[in-house]
Amino acid sequence: AVRSQVIGAVSSVAAASSSFVVLGQTVKVNGQTNFDPAITPGDITGVHAGDLVAVFGPTAADGTITARLVARATTAMGLRVTGTVANVNTTAHTFKVNALTVNYTAATLLGFASGAPANGDIVQARGTTFTAATTTLAAAQLARLPQRPASTGAALVEVEGLVTRFASLADFDVAGQKVTTSASTQYRNGTSAQIALNSNVEVHGAVNASGVLVA
């Protein structure tokens, strides 16, 4: 499943650091970033403040998005951001996704067992109104995204993304999925020493009874 991490207008571009900001989300581009043919030149210099873009790519531990694709967007697509909820204010009906404040007062809520977002939830917020002065998105729809499968069995599970938490080879997360290794784990195109925070990996294995992917 592929979804854009953020859709909105570019608020600022830092060409020197190969990054730009959309809806309070910092987007980094590199040699592996693909650009829509409508963006010319097809690099960071083709991105300008005010451009409507859709960004696809994994999110690092610090909340920055490493763009795999930067595409042109249209106003008909609305505004969208995907990320982890922080600083929930149940009185004001707001929370933060990195530098963005999401106001969900008038939003339709989907998938929340408790009826409201909580810190740590991974959500997708959609709306049409963004206030640049306060970096606030007025959400029309707020959905809690499903977590990684917690089923057990011999079926192969594949997860690709950035290492978002690393305690040890026996305890780390890839794109939010808990992963562990064992003496029988095979390492391809690299070694175990290269597994670290924000490294890009693909993990194959089975999910155990605790919901941990055994590589």
Side-chain angles (χ1 to χ4, degrees):
V2 179
R3 64 171 66 88
S4 58
Q5 289 298 103
V6 63
I7 299 176
V10 175
S11 58
S12 63
V13 180
S17 61
S18 296
S19 66
F20 59 92
V21 177
V22 181
L23 298 186
Q25 313 306 300
T26 297
V27 179
K28 295 181 178 180
V29 304
N30 56 34
Q32 295 181 318
T33 302
N34 295 285
F35 288 85
D36 189 321
I39 298 176
T40 55
D43 55 39
I44 189 66
T45 63
V47 179
H48 307 284
D51 288 351
L52 286 175
V53 298
V55 179
F56 299 78
T59 301
D62 63 359
T64 60
I65 302 166
T66 301
R68 295 288 187 258
L69 170 66
V70 180
R72 285 290 189 198
T74 66
T75 55
M77 296 170 69
L79 306 174
R80 184 187 310 168
V81 66
T82 299
T84 303
V85 172
N87 300 331
V88 172
N89 185 323
T90 56
T91 301
H93 295 97
T94 62
F95 60 84
K96 303 282 282 189
V97 176
N98 296 314
L100 176 70
T101 297
V102 177
N103 187 314
Y104 62 94
T105 301
T108 300
L109 304 182
L110 303 172
F112 294 97
S114 63
N119 291 329
D121 285 346
I122 300 175
V123 300
Q124 183 179 87
R126 296 171 179 259
T128 56
T129 303
F130 173 70
T131 304
T134 57
T135 319
T136 299
L137 173 69
Q141 183 186 87
L142 181 65
R144 184 179 185 274
L145 299 182
Q147 303 300 301
R148 294 292 179 181
S151 59
T152 60
L156 180 68
V157 174
E158 299 179 13
V159 176
E160 189 273 338
L162 300 183
V163 175
T164 51
R165 181 186 63 85
F166 185 84
S168 69
L169 285 174
D171 181 19
F172 62 97
D173 295 352
V174 175
Q177 168 64 50
K178 291 185 180 300
V179 179
T180 190
T181 62
S182 68
S184 60
T185 299
Q186 300 176 26
Y187 298 90
R188 298 179 180 174
N189 303 316
T191 68
S192 61
Q194 294 172 284
I195 309 299
L197 192 66
N198 293 329
S199 59
N200 191 58
V201 299
E202 180 176 307
V203 183
H204 297 227
V207 177
N208 66 21
S210 300
V212 178
L213 177 56
V214 182

